[in-house]
Amino acid sequence: MEAPDIIEKLRAEFGDAILQADVEAVDPFAVVQAERVHDIIQYLRDADDLMFDYLMSISGVDYQGIVEGDPLGVVYHLYSYQHRHTFVIKAQVPRDDPHCPTVSDLYGAANWQEREAFDLFGIVFDGHKDLRRILLPPQWEGHPMRKDWQEPETILGISTVRKSLRERLAEKNNG
Amino acid sequence: MVDELRPEIPAGVLVEDGEMVLNMGPHHPSTHGVIRLILTMDGEVIHTVTPDIGYLHRAIEKIAEKTPYYTFMPFTDRIDYLGAMFMNHGYAMAVEKLAGIEVPRRAEYLRVLADELNRMASHLIFMGTMTMDIGAYTPFLHALREREKINDIIEALCGARLTYNYIRVGGVSFDLPPGLTGQILDFLDGYEVFLDEFDRLITYNEIFVKRVANVGIIPADMAISYGLVGPNLRASGVDYDVRRDAPYSVYPELNFDVITGDDKYGSVGDAFNRLRVRIAETAQSARLIRQVLQKMPTGPIMGKLPRKLKLDPGKDAFSRVESSRGDTLFYIVAGGGNSPHRLRVRTGSFTALSVVPEIGQGVMVADLVAIFASTDVIAPETDR
């Protein structure tokens, strides 16, 4: 099924929950209300003529400077082995309290990818059974893929600042 | 004192009465890099498997946000150092799709040539390490001997043996040097003999088949739900290949078969089929390379590129490439400047590893080694 038809079906089913859709974009997408993500993706997976059975990727995105209000985003790339079509769903969540429903009960692949988005962006996926850091160590503070993340001077006791050669030589000669 | 020495059990691992905790890795020979599997066991039988990843996390996605589009290419090599060519290709395609850059036809053919050579090299490493993890050392040396020849060919093509940086945005960096065609054809002729020898030595060896057949069966629906891709997916009986079904580059002009798992030995979706599918794929790659060498047109190898990419902020595109570890997705969101606002790489190893806890329950430790080896997970790709 082509992208305009998919968007039409989504609009008929969910109405106001589809905030924006773009079929002219490089990859057609629909922006949806974050609270309805689970229902929409479940519909996309189960409807007979859609059957998006392969969740290609869940990407966290920081829309600072791109979308008004500097929200965080979650982007779902979906594909159907049955019908060989693809579609992109985007949701935006506020930066100070990012919450999004989980889809890990629909796709096994969502489990780790949501953990990754939580780890790097701090997006909380409500209903996820095991939401903890995956790539970074558990003691890590903050979410480094956010644009407003500031690198601290030490991370887990290791300095992130490299002194200049002159300073290091001076220290070596003095000490 | 004893309690102090006991290693910390990370959050997320529940240990019940009478269970033993075993750390497999991070430095375990069969984990191919640094991946840690935390096993809770009753005797030799595994109750739960909890992978602990991130030891090789190099923040490649964050580096992309600070690096100009064209300059980022060498970093993509490091995402998957056994299949660097695919990462080059995927990233180049994502940028080209985003900026609407045309690639000359000769460059497309050279890309496919490089891809397929790299696929053979990567699968050869897999064939060697998989059999070595099971306990057969000799096939490893045979496989690496063949891979060395591919390394020589790729070195003649682009000067590098592991991290190629060959495929660039808009084309490729070097043309085919004179005389290389003959060298490639010689290698392909010898490869057929090698495959026959390898099959007789190990693949259909009765001891080996008994060891890996019916181990770690992944049913097709589980494979799809967990997002398994590439050879792992095809071994589970799903007839899908990005090269054929979501075609890119010049693959539609070339003939090749998509290999899927069968139950001739063992059953569909087991460790043996994951090995067999990959071995058969190398033969298909050889077939593709012969066609590419025959059909390759003359012409430029680099398209016209703007000096600096100026893209609308928020414009995004994704590309899919069939790497040796399966469908790899590159997703770029453009920012206002000359570097991506966000780059996302979804790799085959990441999802392949996430299915291990599911199929690792109730098996023996030795079988877990076979399962883990057969999924062809490599650490740099899961961690990025």
Side-chain angles (χ1 to χ4, degrees):
Chain A
M1 194 183 274
E2 293 301 312
D5 306 325
I6 296 172
I7 291 166
E8 203 170 297
K9 273 190 83 86
L10 279 178
R11 280 233 160 91
E13 189 73 25
F14 293 98
D16 295 342
I18 314 298
L19 301 175
Q20 182 202 342
D22 191 345
V23 288
E24 303 291 310
V26 185
D27 296 307
F29 63 88
V31 182
V32 305
Q33 276 179 2
E35 304 84 60
R36 303 292 303 276
V37 159
H38 183 272
D39 302 340
I40 290 167
I41 290 186
Q42 186 163 26
Y43 172 74
L44 286 170
R45 188 190 68 159
D46 294 339
D48 278 338
D49 46 356
L50 297 169
M51 284 187 81
F52 285 99
D53 47 4
Y54 170 29
L55 177 71
M56 287 197 285
S57 134
I58 296 177
S59 323
V61 181
D62 187 338
Y63 284 119
Q64 190 182 60
I66 289 185
V67 176
E68 209 176 319
D70 296 345
L72 298 176
V74 190
V75 181
Y76 301 82
H77 288 90
L78 299 163
Y79 185 80
S80 168
Y81 284 126
Q82 205 76 30
H83 301 297
R84 306 271 150 103
H85 55 209
T86 176
F87 197 63
V88 183
I89 294 284
K90 296 181 185 180
Q92 285 163 8
V93 290
R95 177 179 297 270
D96 42 6
D97 187 27
H99 279 272
C100 185
T102 181
V103 293
S104 58
D105 54 331
L106 303 174
Y107 300 96
N111 181 352
W112 278 28
Q113 298 193 39
E114 286 182 351
R115 277 176 66 190
E116 191 186 332
F118 165 72
D119 191 357
L120 302 177
F121 288 90
I123 298 163
V124 179
F125 292 90
D126 298 319
H128 192 292
K129 287 202 178 71
D130 186 24
L131 197 66
R132 59 195 164 88
R133 289 190 184 276
I134 184 164
L135 293 176
L136 303 178
Q139 311 88 326
W140 191 281
E141 285 169 16
H143 303 285
M145 285 292 278
R146 286 193 186 188
K147 295 282 178 186
D148 55 4
W149 189 73
Q150 297 287 332
E151 194 175 60
E153 277 187 16
T154 58
I155 293 176
L156 307 178
I158 301 164
S159 171
T160 58
V161 188
R162 193 178 167 87
K163 286 177 186 162
S164 72
L165 187 63
R166 193 183 296 269
E167 276 176 292
R168 274 181 288 150
L169 272 178
E171 263 175 35
K172 194 181 164 193
N173 293 338
N174 294 338
Chain B
M1 182 67 193
V2 175
D3 277 343
E4 281 172 25
L5 289 175
R6 192 168 286 161
E8 194 186 338
I9 297 165
V13 182
L14 295 175
V15 185
E16 285 172 18
D17 263 1
E19 281 184 343
M20 184 180 85
V21 178
L22 180 75
N23 271 305
M24 190 172 146
H27 296 282
H28 189 277
S30 78
T31 53
H32 303 255
V34 270
I35 292 173
R36 177 187 180 200
L37 301 173
I38 304 153
L39 317 175
T40 61
M41 316 206 302
D42 180 7
E44 182 80 351
V45 178
I46 294 166
H47 282 180
T48 62
V49 184
T50 313
D52 179 14
I53 64 170
Y55 290 93
L56 265 175
H57 181 56
R58 291 143 297 162
I60 284 179
E61 291 174 1
K62 185 81 179 176
I63 294 171
E65 294 175 6
K66 307 192 167 181
T67 315
Y69 286 102
Y70 303 151
T71 326
F72 182 65
M73 196 53 85
F75 288 99
T76 61
D77 288 328
R78 275 79 183 169
I79 295 172
D80 175 1
Y81 50 56
L82 295 181
M85 212 62 94
F86 307 106
M87 301 299 136
N88 289 175
H89 199 168
Y91 177 73
M93 282 203 304
V95 177
E96 284 153 10
K97 192 172 167 189
L98 195 64
I101 295 167
E102 292 273 327
V103 182
R105 278 182 56 77
R106 185 173 173 82
E108 291 280 20
Y109 272 92
L110 283 168
R111 283 178 176 190
V112 171
L113 173 73
D115 272 3
E116 295 308 323
L117 280 170
N118 197 184
R119 193 185 311 279
M120 289 173 89
S122 173
H123 282 350
L124 278 167
I125 285 266
F126 166 81
M127 285 148 68
T129 50
M130 160 110 190
T131 48
M132 192 170 70
D133 290 346
I134 306 295
Y137 190 69
T138 313
F140 177 72
L141 298 174
H142 286 220
L144 276 243
R145 183 192 62 206
E146 292 304 306
R147 177 175 176 265
E148 204 61 19
K149 295 175 189 166
I150 301 179
N151 279 355
D152 288 343
I153 292 169
I154 296 184
E155 189 182 1
L157 187 65
C158 67
R161 294 170 70 86
L162 195 68
T163 48
Y164 310 118
N165 188 20
Y166 175 61
I167 297 173
R168 304 281 170 85
V169 177
V172 295
S173 54
F174 298 101
D175 206 342
L176 203 62
L180 193 64
T181 310
Q183 195 182 339
I184 296 173
L185 289 174
D186 282 350
F187 161 72
L188 293 181
D189 291 341
Y191 190 76
E192 280 166 21
V193 180
F194 159 79
L195 261 193
D196 182 49
E197 192 183 68
F198 193 86
D199 280 352
R200 281 185 289 128
L201 175 68
I202 188 81
T203 318
Y204 298 105
N205 182 323
E206 200 179 337
I207 302 167
F208 183 75
V209 171
K210 279 198 171 152
R211 177 73 181 78
V212 290
N214 296 317
V215 169
I217 297 170
I218 306 177
D221 54 343
M222 188 200 277
I224 290 175
S225 165
Y226 273 86
L228 286 201
V229 287
N232 291 334
L233 180 74
R234 291 192 280 278
S236 295
V238 181
D239 187 13
Y240 186 83
D241 191 315
V242 179
R243 290 174 291 170
R244 185 193 65 191
D245 299 306
Y248 56 93
S249 200
V250 289
Y251 280 110
E253 299 166 25
L254 306 167
N255 296 318
F256 64 101
D257 295 331
V258 176
I259 314 289
T260 52
D262 59 26
D263 48 8
K264 216 168 162 190
Y265 301 82
S267 43
V268 175
D270 65 357
F272 176 75
N273 268 301
R274 286 194 280 278
L275 174 71
R276 196 188 60 83
V277 163
R278 287 190 174 87
I279 292 176
E281 260 181 30
T282 58
Q284 295 302 321
S285 291
R287 213 176 129 192
L288 280 165
I289 292 168
R290 283 181 197 277
Q291 294 173 46
V292 166
L293 290 176
Q294 250 174 20
K295 290 186 177 176
M296 190 167 327
T298 51
I301 56 161
M302 199 70 187
K304 283 212 170 68
L305 288 180
R307 275 179 73 84
K308 263 190 176 181
L309 280 185
K310 277 260 188 260
L311 301 164
D312 302 333
K315 191 178 178 189
D316 58 354
F318 73 92
S319 73
R320 295 168 69 190
V321 64
E322 179 78 22
S323 99
S324 49
R325 266 155 281 279
D327 176 7
T328 305
L329 179 136
F330 283 78
Y331 173 56
I332 299 182
V333 182
N338 191 25
S339 52
H341 185 77
R342 164 84 167 117
L343 170 76
R344 159 95 170 123
V345 191
R346 206 300 319 270
T347 56
S349 291
F350 190 79
T351 48
L353 189 58
S354 72
V355 81
V356 169
E358 195 81 16
I359 54 172
Q361 289 170 10
V363 304
M364 304 274 189
V365 179
D367 281 348
L368 184 71
V369 173
I371 292 171
F372 189 76
S374 71
T375 52
D376 196 14
V377 169
I378 64 159
E381 225 197 11
T382 59
D383 298 350
R384 280 156 287 137

